[in-house]
Amino acid sequence: EAQVTQNPRYLITVTGKKLTVTCSQNMNHEYMSWYRQDPGLGLRQIYYSMNVEVTDKGDVPEGYKVSRKEKRNFPLILESPSPNQTSLYFCASSLRRGEKLFFGSGTQLSVL
Amino acid sequence: KNEVEQSPQNLTAQEGEFITINCSYSVGISALHWLQQHPGGGIVSLFMLSSGKKKHGRLIATINIQEKHSSLHITASHPRDSAVYICAVGMFTSGTYKYIFGTGTRLKVLA
């Protein structure tokens, strides 16, 4: 089944404790991206990748890192999480930029 | 002013009603997407448009590039259509490609 797999679904952590949210797609998509969703603000793009080893900042990249070593995986890394990173996070992919987006199921992150 | 504006923010309808959700944007775009987010949180892409009109089942999406406006129509609405509908635009800017999202329209369809 074609899908974007995102883990974990829920995560509670404490300030400063490094964490990684994983994202994997099985559709051979070139474009992958991360978003955060906050009440009243909607979805905002954090980082995106147009292909292996090609990544770029979105609108809200501060405090986040990404890597794209393989085409299927695009992990989101929070080196030192802070409470203002408490949010609902989504990974998405598309065959190429601008084409239909496929979303992961989301990760609800709480940073205490 | 947000670059992508949706209206209404909230909408309650009776089952069977015809529903319209609007999206206006202020930037040049390469494509516009309509997304559906169910109460469980998952997001599904409904349409991707760069011109004209698309139809899938009871859903119709239109876009007017000159007026920078898109509409999502739901015919014969059903309670299972209750969800948040999100408009997103894709655009080339400063050598990159980015997405800007509207804040969504929360639709509730009553039986």
Side-chain angles (χ1 to χ4, degrees):
Chain A
E1 181 190 349
Q3 60 185 358
V4 178
T5 303
Q6 189 180 332
N7 283 299
R9 184 76 178 87
Y10 299 94
L11 181 57
I12 301 173
T13 190
V14 296
T15 299
K17 187 175 181 183
K18 181 179 178 179
L19 66 91
T20 300
V21 185
T22 63
C23 176
S24 179
Q25 49 89 10
N26 63 359
M27 296 169 278
N28 201 36
H29 283 175
E30 290 183 356
Y31 188 90
M32 297 186 75
S33 50
W34 277 102
Y35 306 89
R36 60 179 288 173
Q37 187 177 38
D38 300 289
L41 296 177
L43 286 153
R44 292 179 292 167
Q45 193 167 25
I46 303 171
Y47 267 97
Y48 66 93
S49 168
M50 289 201 279
N51 216 323
V52 177
E53 303 291 4
V54 181
T55 63
D56 210 342
K57 296 176 182 178
D59 287 326
V60 288
E62 295 79 20
Y64 305 95
K65 281 177 58 177
V66 293
S67 68
R68 187 95 181 270
K69 296 189 173 81
E70 309 162 279
K71 199 169 189 179
R72 62 184 296 127
N73 295 323
F74 190 46
L76 179 70
I77 302 157
L78 284 71
E79 296 265 1
S80 183
S82 62
N84 64 11
Q85 293 179 297
T86 292
S87 187
L88 179 57
Y89 291 86
F90 286 97
C91 174
S93 73
S94 60
L95 185 59
R96 281 174 291 274
R97 65 187 180 190
E99 300 197 9
K100 178 179 175 178
L101 288 164
F102 293 80
F103 285 82
S105 53
T107 296
Q108 181 64 60
L109 171 66
S110 294
V111 182
L112 306 178
Chain B
K1 187 178 186 301
N2 293 335
E3 291 167 297
V4 178
E5 299 265 4
Q6 284 185 238
S7 64
Q9 286 188 310
N10 295 283
L11 181 57
T12 300
Q14 293 292 326
E15 184 174 359
E17 284 186 12
F18 180 85
I19 289 163
T20 296
I21 299 170
N22 296 298
C23 176
S24 295
Y25 52 92
S26 58
V27 294
I29 69 170
S30 68
L32 182 142
H33 302 252
W34 280 103
L35 311 172
Q36 181 190 53
Q37 185 171 24
H38 273 285
I43 300 175
V44 173
S45 175
L46 298 174
F47 295 103
M48 188 193 72
L49 296 159
S50 54
S51 65
K53 176 179 173 178
K54 287 191 177 180
K55 184 175 189 289
H56 186 259
R58 296 179 295 105
L59 272 58
I60 302 166
T62 64
I63 188 168
N64 185 316
I65 298 292
Q66 286 73 29
E67 294 186 5
K68 295 187 173 169
H69 181 268
S70 176
S71 293
L72 176 68
H73 305 286
I74 305 175
T75 61
S77 59
H78 190 275
R80 65 174 174 267
D81 297 325
S82 298
V84 176
Y85 293 84
I86 300 168
C87 170
V89 299
M91 52 190 278
F92 290 97
T93 177
S94 304
T96 68
Y97 190 87
K98 64 186 282 188
Y99 289 95
I100 304 175
F101 298 80
T103 53
T105 294
R106 187 174 300 274
L107 171 66
K108 187 170 185 178
V109 182
L110 304 174

Coordinates of all heavy atoms in Angstrom, one line a residue, chain B residues 34 53 60 68 70 74 91 94 100 105:
Chain B
W34 N -6.5 21.5 -2.4 CA -7.5 21.4 -1.4 C -7.3 20.1 -0.6 O -7.1 19.0 -1.1 CB -8.9 21.3 -2.0 CG -9.4 22.7 -2.4 CD1 -9.5 23.2 -3.6 CD2 -10.0 23.7 -1.5 NE1 -10.0 24.4 -3.6 CE2 -10.3 24.8 -2.3 CE3 -10.1 23.8 -0.1 CZ2 -10.9 26.0 -1.8 CZ3 -10.7 24.9 0.4 CH2 -11.1 26.0 -0.4
K53 N -11.3 23.4 -13.6 CA -12.3 22.7 -12.7 C -12.0 21.2 -12.6 O -11.6 20.6 -13.6 CB -13.7 22.9 -13.2 CG -14.8 22.3 -12.5 CD -16.1 22.7 -13.3 CE -17.3 21.9 -12.8 NZ -18.6 22.3 -13.5
I60 N -16.4 19.2 -6.0 CA -16.0 19.9 -7.2 C -15.1 21.1 -6.8 O -15.4 21.8 -5.8 CB -17.2 20.5 -8.0 CG1 -18.2 19.5 -8.3 CG2 -16.7 21.3 -9.2 CD1 -19.6 20.0 -8.7
K68 N -7.5 35.1 -8.6 CA -6.8 34.5 -7.5 C -7.8 34.0 -6.5 O -7.7 34.3 -5.3 CB -5.8 35.6 -6.9 CG -4.7 36.0 -7.8 CD -3.6 36.8 -7.2 CE -2.5 37.0 -8.2 NZ -1.5 38.0 -7.8
S70 N -10.3 30.4 -5.5 CA -10.7 29.0 -5.7 C -11.9 28.7 -4.8 O -12.0 29.2 -3.7 CB -9.6 28.0 -5.4 OG -10.0 26.7 -5.5
I74 N -19.3 21.0 -2.3 CA -19.8 19.7 -1.9 C -21.2 19.6 -2.2 O -22.0 20.4 -1.6 CB -19.5 19.4 -0.4 CG1 -18.0 19.6 0.0 CG2 -19.9 18.0 -0.1 CD1 -17.7 19.5 1.4
M91 N 4.2 27.7 -4.6 CA 4.7 28.8 -5.3 C 6.2 28.7 -5.4 O 6.9 28.3 -4.4 CB 4.3 30.1 -4.7 CG 4.6 30.2 -3.2 SD 3.9 31.6 -2.4 CE 5.0 32.9 -2.9
S94 N 12.2 33.0 -4.6 CA 13.6 33.1 -4.3 C 14.4 31.8 -4.5 O 15.2 31.4 -3.7 CB 13.8 33.5 -2.8 OG 13.1 34.7 -2.5
I100 N 2.1 27.6 1.1 CA 1.4 28.4 2.1 C 0.0 27.9 2.3 O -0.7 27.6 1.3 CB 1.4 29.9 1.7 CG1 2.8 30.4 1.4 CG2 0.8 30.7 2.8 CD1 2.8 31.8 0.9
T105 N -11.3 25.7 7.0 CA -12.7 25.9 7.2 C -13.3 24.6 7.9 O -13.1 23.5 7.4 CB -13.5 26.1 5.9 OG1 -13.1 27.3 5.3 CG2 -15.0 26.1 6.1

